[in-house]
Amino acid sequence: MKNKKILFGIAFLIIILIVAIIVINSLNYKNKTITASNYETVIKEAKDSSLTDEEKTQFASGMLKYAFNPSSIYGKKVKDVIKEGKSLTETAEGKKDIDKSTDVRTMEEFVQKFKDNGCDIDLNKKPLFAMIDAIDGVIFDIDNNVVKIYKYSNEENYNNAKNNYSFMEAFEKNGLFVLETNNEKAKQIFREIN
């Protein structure tokens, strides 16, 4: 009889412990499991949850991963979606850093802007752009002033060239494009290109 009471007491304590763990887990928003029935509710609750702003952003990014196939998210915990979103946001941040060092604009776009402002330019006339480690260049005149535009492959190459050739300090820069001239009209046009 005494053994039955002890076993009953232990079983009762185990049940209380299990219930407590379930309650604690349910109180922790990150441990909420996303199901087909609570999918929209979980998304709405994220706004009012105890997640930090960064975690909310990561959660949103993680949810976007499943936007076109929400069935693949069911059964995941919010913390797992946050973790996946974190890797997505970190990748996005990395891409921003890469974007700072690249420039998808072309020399033709820069030349066209000058042509739109009445300049006569032949794309085949090139300065000695390789002499300052650029990958492309064009040379033309505005009001009897020589204008040269150079393009660099990336920010690192531009910075290396600038360190090697001190005269480049006077050049205007727009992304990975550099302008060499004393002509104020050319400088103004160059600055307006975006």
Side-chain angles (χ1 to χ4, degrees), residues 11-106:
F12 183 72
L13 288 174
I14 290 172
I15 291 171
I16 289 177
L17 183 63
I18 290 170
V19 169
I21 290 171
I22 291 170
V23 169
I24 290 168
N25 277 341
S26 68
L27 293 175
N28 183 352
Y29 182 76
K30 289 182 187 177
N31 285 322
K32 189 163 198 161
T33 301
I34 301 166
T35 64
S37 59
N38 75 358
Y39 180 80
E40 289 181 9
T41 305
V42 170
I43 293 171
K44 288 176 185 170
E45 286 175 355
K47 191 169 57 172
D48 300 322
S49 70
S50 60
L51 299 177
T52 65
D53 287 344
E54 183 179 5
E55 287 172 331
K56 287 178 183 178
T57 301
Q58 291 165 354
F59 176 69
S61 298
M63 293 300 279
L64 282 173
K65 179 179 178 184
Y66 303 96
F68 299 106
N69 186 15
S71 63
S72 63
I73 198 169
Y74 299 148
K76 286 191 179 284
K77 291 197 180 292
V78 169
K79 66 181 176 185
D80 296 326
V81 175
I82 290 171
K83 185 177 179 183
E84 290 177 23
K86 183 177 182 186
S87 67
L88 290 173
T89 53
E90 285 172 353
T91 301
E93 288 300 316
K95 284 182 181 173
K96 282 182 189 173
D97 292 340
I98 290 167
D99 290 345
K100 289 177 187 172
S101 65
T102 60
D103 196 331
V104 295
R105 297 174 297 174
T106 64

Side-chain angles (χ1 to χ4, degrees), residues 158 168-174 177-181 184 186-188 190-191:
Y158 165 75
M168 286 182 62
E169 287 289 333
F171 295 179
E172 296 266 337
K173 183 176 179 289
N174 182 336
F177 290 82
V178 177
L179 178 74
E180 179 186 1
T181 189
E184 289 303 318
K187 289 179 182 180
Q188 187 60 38
F190 185 78
R191 289 179 194 132

